[in-house]
């Protein structure tokens, strides 16, 4: 076992500990890992900085910029008002509309960005409806993952996998290559959450 292997394993363990303890933010930990690999010589400067030139990185960054634009445009406020009205009529109907909307949004925006946009909205809606935020936040997270499986843009993993395939000389994934299977998973997931899952979600009001 070479010193590079030992160093990388030790660095990985340290990074996982920092991620779990949250003593430093995730972006700072990631940058520190990159710097450590560059300074140690395990990676060359071109290898260490190659990720910033990746189409996957640029695409994900663009999705977050788009999500910020939606938040500043007031579109999120419109969604919160609509969900608030539905919550006063029927919490089950509101949950179904929330999960469906998040799934569609995650398919074309990126599921991480969609959740980041809607977390404040869901918390506000839960307070207005006198519900525990956990009753909506967990379905929000699950629905974003289900929706993210429907297109290449849905998750960072899909984008990265497509970029790697293209780098290796293979055909990149088509935009809707996963859609048929993704829609099935999404429908099953939403059905489960509406019938069984929402009853199992803990009611944390602290």
């Amino acid at each position: 076992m070479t010193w590079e292997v030992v160093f990388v394993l030790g660095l990985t363990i340290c990074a996982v500990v920092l991620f779990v303890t949250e003593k430093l933010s995730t972006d700072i930990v990631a940058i520190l890992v990159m710097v450590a690999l560059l300074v140690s010589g395990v990676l060359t400067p071109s290898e260490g900085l190659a990720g910033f030139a990746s189409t996957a990185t640029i695409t994900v960054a663009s999705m977050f910029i788009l999500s910020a634009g939606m938040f500043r445009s007031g579109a999120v406020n419109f969604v919160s008002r609509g969900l608030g009205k539905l919550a006063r009529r029927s919490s089950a109907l509101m949950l179904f509309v929330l999960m469906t909307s998040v799934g569609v949004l995650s398919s074309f925006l990126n599921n991480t960005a969609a959740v980041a946009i809607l977390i404040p909205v869901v918390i506000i809606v839960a307070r207005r409806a006198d519900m525990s935020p956990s009753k909506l936040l967990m379905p929000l997270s699950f629905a974003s993952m289900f929706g993210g499986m429907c297109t290449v843009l849905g998750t960072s993993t899909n984008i990265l996998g497509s970029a790697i395939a293209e780098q290796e000389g293979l055909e990149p994934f088509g935009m809707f290559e996963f859609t048929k299977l993704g829609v099935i998973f999404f429908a099953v997931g939403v059905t489960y959450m509406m019938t069984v899952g929402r009853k199992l979600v803990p009611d944390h009001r602290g």
Side-chain angles (χ1 to χ4, degrees):
M1 183 180 292
T2 63
W3 73 268
E4 290 94 343
V5 174
V6 176
F7 178 79
V8 171
L9 288 175
L11 186 62
T12 302
I13 294 173
C14 291
V16 171
V17 171
L18 289 174
F19 284 138
V20 172
T21 58
E22 297 183 346
K23 291 184 177 180
L24 296 174
S25 62
T26 55
D27 52 346
I28 292 178
V29 174
I31 292 175
L32 289 176
V33 169
M34 181 187 69
V35 171
L37 291 172
L38 290 173
V39 172
S40 65
V42 174
L43 295 179
T44 64
S46 59
E47 291 173 337
L49 301 175
F52 293 103
S54 170
T55 55
T57 303
I58 296 173
T59 303
V60 173
S62 300
M63 293 298 100
F64 278 101
I65 293 172
L66 180 60
S67 67
M70 291 183 62
F71 188 84
R72 292 179 179 272
S73 68
V76 175
N77 294 330
F78 174 78
V79 173
S80 65
R81 288 194 296 269
L83 290 175
K85 293 178 181 178
L86 288 175
R88 287 191 290 269
R89 296 181 181 178
S90 170
S91 60
L93 177 61
M94 184 270 293
L95 181 61
F96 176 78
V97 172
L98 172 64
M99 295 188 69
T100 304
S101 302
V102 172
V104 174
L105 190 62
S106 298
S107 298
F108 297 97
L109 182 61
N110 185 275
N111 61 349
T112 306
V115 170
I117 292 174
L118 292 175
I119 282 178
V121 175
V122 167
I123 292 176
I124 292 172
V125 171
R127 287 175 179 171
R128 290 177 178 174
D130 193 27
M131 298 174 59
S132 168
S134 62
K135 287 289 187 180
L136 299 180
L137 288 173
M138 290 188 70
L140 171 71
S141 176
F142 293 144
S144 71
M145 289 187 287
F146 298 148
M149 298 171 63
C150 295
T151 66
V152 171
L153 292 179
T155 67
S156 305
T157 309
N158 291 349
I159 298 172
L160 182 60
S162 179
I164 292 175
E166 190 172 9
Q167 290 174 4
E168 296 298 323
L170 302 174
E171 287 292 328
F173 299 145
M175 176 65 177
F176 300 103
E177 190 166 338
F178 314 128
T179 302
K180 292 182 180 179
L181 184 60
V183 168
I184 294 174
F185 277 110
F186 179 74
V188 172
V190 171
T191 302
Y192 172 79
M193 286 302 301
M194 291 299 301
T195 54
V196 179
R198 69 191 184 101
K199 299 177 182 179
L200 302 177
V201 176
D203 189 355
H204 296 308
R205 293 180 178 268

